Amino acid sequence: MQKLDSVLLNNELFSGVAEGEFSQLLACLAPVRKLYEKNETILAQGDPITKIGVLLSGQAQVIRDDITGVRSILTGLAAGDVFAEAFACSDIAELPVSVLAVTDCSAMFFDYQRILKTCSSACSHHTRLIRNLLAVIADKNIMLSAKIEHLSMRTTRKRILSYLSEQASRHNSNRFDIPFNRQQLADYLCVDRSALSIELSKLQKGGILAFQKNHFRLLKHFEL
Amino acid sequence: MQKLDSVLLNNELFSGVAEGEFSQLLACLAPVRKLYEKNETILAQGDPITKIGVLLSGQAQVIRDDITGVRSILTGLAAGDVFAEAFACSDIAELPVSVLAVTDCSAMFFDYQRILKTCSSACSHHTRLIRNLLAVIADKNIMLSAKIEHLSMRTTRKRILSYLSEQASRHNSNRFDIPFNRQQLADYLCVDRSALSIELSKLQKGGILAFQKNHFRLLKHFEL
DNA sequence: AAAGAAACGTTGTATTTGCAACAGAACGAG
DNA sequence: CTCGTTCTGTTGCAAATACAACGTTTCTTT
């Protein structure tokens, strides 16, 4: 499956690894590939954690079953997404979530211990792999922190300004495009879409920002 | 400074490293120790990132200056706390935050590249160190994800139940103590303290939970 | 070009929250 | 024991939000 290989090769975990050296690295890591049918359980809550997963094809969901039995969806997974990585790297013994196949799926599993132990010989790429793994988790960390910063604001207005201000910083400019449509932005900020629209309008009328579709412009100083 | 050494030795980054092998590891890592006076800048927003910090003594704050100049406090740091680790491990080039000394401080800085490159010789502890670093970041990741799960609930009631339900899972029991008083729990859940008290009372009167001070008991099934 | 779907802004209302202020309980220091 | 402080629950009110419902614009499809 050439296509599946390219999913791995282009994966953030393997960035910087030359195509020619890829098979060597794979041989050293000895990952396991598995196929799942729609609605099948890929990983079950309570399972011992030893491996990091990469979804090669299909779609999946990370879900959590409450102690009272209530189920909630934490994330959706698409091809190329890494999953269970934080749990594998952490010290916790059992998975606190389940991963379910939404469609037919294939996934590759990498043993965490095997990633960590740089083998003496050829696999200098191990170092690169570890660095990538750290980068993946650290990036997620930064994203999560940013989101919490926004969510800790107690009004829709402040959440919007917190988010847009972060985007401005990130783009080093007062003008930037955001990667969300209104509904997605509302979901990200955990507010009602119509409330978001209202507040955006107010901000625009107040001369604090201007926007056309996904393009925003922060106009003047404001208080968070 | 014996005391400062013990701060490091007991630090999560060095867990599993025997006291006798500690000096050897330190020699290999060649950390830099610096002193700061109250109100001094430890790290400045925009600085290039190359090192991971550990606060040895004193108190500090991680803050962020908005693009409009508005300053907000992201976290407080105490002795033993690791800081800037996610930024060092990520690919971003410049610090998006500043670290300021609240009191007189001393901090130790470890070069990220030096941590990553397992030296061939004696330092087998490098592997342990890397594993610890991954665990630190991954644990934080899990904590942040849990908090976001709670904050994404749109009512105080649901936030409380989400939090308590997580705690119950974590303790594997319907009875558990929480590590917060009311004000701290309110701050964590980003709600008003009085609103939190009101909602807790309602939940108790409704027979959904019982509590005395910090001891909670989830009583029956409920809808999130 | 026309029809259908999706995205967006707007309005009105019932709920919920934040905020300020207060009173009792728990706790510690003197 | 008493005073003072902190923690907690409660109340009332102004403000903000969620929710549902609707009209318009924009984009896709046929």
Side-chain angles (χ1 to χ4, degrees):
Chain A
M1 287 259 183
Q2 202 74 340
K3 191 180 164 193
L4 297 183
D5 268 1
S6 86
V7 168
L8 271 189
L9 191 52
N10 294 323
N11 192 278
E12 44 193 353
L13 276 181
F14 297 98
S15 85
V17 177
E19 193 165 351
E21 300 158 334
F22 187 56
S23 59
Q24 184 187 19
L25 180 57
L26 270 194
C28 177
L29 291 173
V32 178
R33 178 158 162 254
K34 289 191 179 171
L35 300 175
Y36 301 91
E37 292 181 359
K38 181 176 176 177
N39 295 328
E40 202 175 342
T41 299
I42 300 176
L43 295 174
Q45 203 161 326
D47 279 357
I49 316 166
T50 58
K51 294 169 188 298
I52 293 175
V54 176
L55 196 63
L56 297 177
S57 67
Q59 296 182 341
Q61 280 180 340
V62 181
I63 62 128
R64 204 174 72 98
D65 284 328
D66 202 275
I67 200 171
T68 67
V70 176
R71 169 167 294 190
S72 61
I73 300 170
L74 302 184
T75 337
L77 297 176
D81 284 347
V82 182
F83 60 94
E85 80 286 355
F87 305 118
C89 297
S90 168
D91 286 333
I92 61 176
E94 296 183 358
L95 258 189
V97 300
S98 297
V99 181
L100 303 184
V102 175
T103 66
D104 287 0
C105 288
S106 63
M108 195 83 106
F109 292 94
F110 297 88
D111 189 86
Y112 177 54
Q113 301 301 332
R114 217 151 178 155
I115 292 179
L116 274 189
K117 285 179 186 151
T118 52
C119 52
S120 51
S121 61
C123 285
S124 64
H125 314 298
H126 254 144
T127 304
R128 181 76 203 188
L129 183 57
I130 291 173
R131 182 199 305 252
N132 286 345
L133 179 57
L134 269 162
V136 166
I137 300 180
D139 280 336
K140 195 167 177 181
N141 211 309
I142 293 171
M143 286 173 46
L144 294 174
S145 295
K147 179 161 180 174
I148 286 180
E149 199 182 333
H150 309 324
L151 291 189
S152 68
M153 301 289 160
R154 303 196 182 179
T155 65
T156 300
R157 176 193 175 93
K158 287 179 181 173
R159 285 190 191 177
I160 293 171
L161 290 177
S162 174
Y163 172 74
L164 292 179
S165 150
E166 183 220 345
Q167 290 294 309
S169 292
R170 191 185 296 272
H171 289 85
N172 255 322
S173 162
N174 284 350
R175 309 181 47 156
F176 50 86
D177 290 351
I178 66 171
F180 293 135
N181 65 25
R182 291 293 179 280
Q183 183 62 60
Q184 290 169 329
L185 180 57
D187 289 344
Y188 176 80
L189 295 179
C190 297
V191 297
D192 185 72
R193 182 193 59 77
S194 67
L196 173 67
S197 277
I198 290 174
E199 214 56 48
L200 281 174
S201 296
K202 282 186 190 169
L203 286 167
Q204 190 161 43
K205 283 171 189 163
I208 293 173
L209 56 81
F211 61 90
Q212 304 147 4
K213 300 196 56 173
N214 298 340
H215 186 74
F216 283 77
R217 225 174 116 197
L218 284 180
L219 294 178
K220 63 176 188 182
H221 297 274
F222 52 84
E223 319 169 10
L224 270 183
Chain B
M1 288 257 182
Q2 202 72 342
K3 190 180 162 193
L4 296 183
D5 267 2
S6 86
V7 169
L8 271 189
L9 191 50
N10 294 322
N11 192 278
E12 45 194 352
L13 276 181
F14 296 98
S15 84
V17 177
E19 193 165 351
E21 299 158 334
F22 187 56
S23 60
Q24 184 187 19
L25 179 57
L26 270 194
C28 177
L29 292 173
V32 178
R33 177 156 163 254
K34 290 191 179 171
L35 299 175
Y36 301 91
E37 292 179 1
K38 181 176 174 176
N39 294 328
E40 202 175 343
T41 299
I42 300 177
L43 295 174
Q45 202 161 327
D47 280 355
I49 316 166
T50 58
K51 294 169 188 297
I52 294 176
V54 177
L55 196 63
L56 297 177
S57 66
Q59 296 184 341
Q61 281 180 341
V62 181
I63 62 129
R64 204 174 74 98
D65 285 327
D66 202 276
I67 200 170
T68 68
V70 176
R71 169 167 295 189
S72 60
I73 300 171
L74 302 184
T75 336
L77 297 177
D81 283 347
V82 182
F83 61 93
E85 81 287 355
F87 304 118
C89 297
S90 168
D91 285 333
I92 61 176
E94 297 182 358
L95 258 189
V97 299
S98 297
V99 182
L100 304 184
V102 174
T103 66
D104 288 0
C105 287
S106 63
M108 195 83 107
F109 292 95
F110 297 87
D111 189 85
Y112 177 54
Q113 302 300 332
R114 216 150 178 155
I115 291 178
L116 273 190
K117 284 179 185 149
T118 52
C119 52
S120 51
S121 60
C123 285
S124 64
H125 314 297
H126 254 143
T127 304
R128 180 76 205 190
L129 183 57
I130 291 173
R131 180 200 305 251
N132 286 345
L133 179 58
L134 269 161
V136 166
I137 299 180
D139 280 336
K140 194 167 177 180
N141 210 310
I142 293 171
M143 284 174 47
L144 294 174
S145 296
K147 179 162 180 173
I148 286 180
E149 200 183 332
H150 308 324
L151 291 188
S152 69
M153 301 289 160
R154 303 197 183 179
T155 64
T156 301
R157 176 193 175 92
K158 286 179 181 173
R159 285 191 191 177
I160 293 171
L161 290 177
S162 175
Y163 172 74
L164 293 180
S165 149
E166 183 221 344
Q167 290 293 311
S169 293
R170 191 185 295 274
H171 289 84
N172 255 322
S173 163
N174 284 349
R175 310 181 46 157
F176 50 87
D177 290 350
I178 67 171
F180 294 135
N181 64 26
R182 291 291 179 280
Q183 182 61 59
Q184 290 170 329
L185 180 57
D187 289 344
Y188 177 79
L189 295 179
C190 297
V191 297
D192 183 72
R193 183 194 57 77
S194 66
L196 173 67
S197 277
I198 290 175
E199 215 55 51
L200 282 174
S201 296
K202 283 186 191 170
L203 286 167
Q204 190 162 44
K205 283 171 189 161
I208 293 172
L209 56 81
F211 61 89
Q212 305 148 4
K213 300 197 57 172
N214 298 339
H215 186 74
F216 282 77
R217 225 173 115 197
L218 284 180
L219 294 178
K220 63 176 188 182
H221 296 274
F222 52 83
E223 317 170 11
L224 270 182

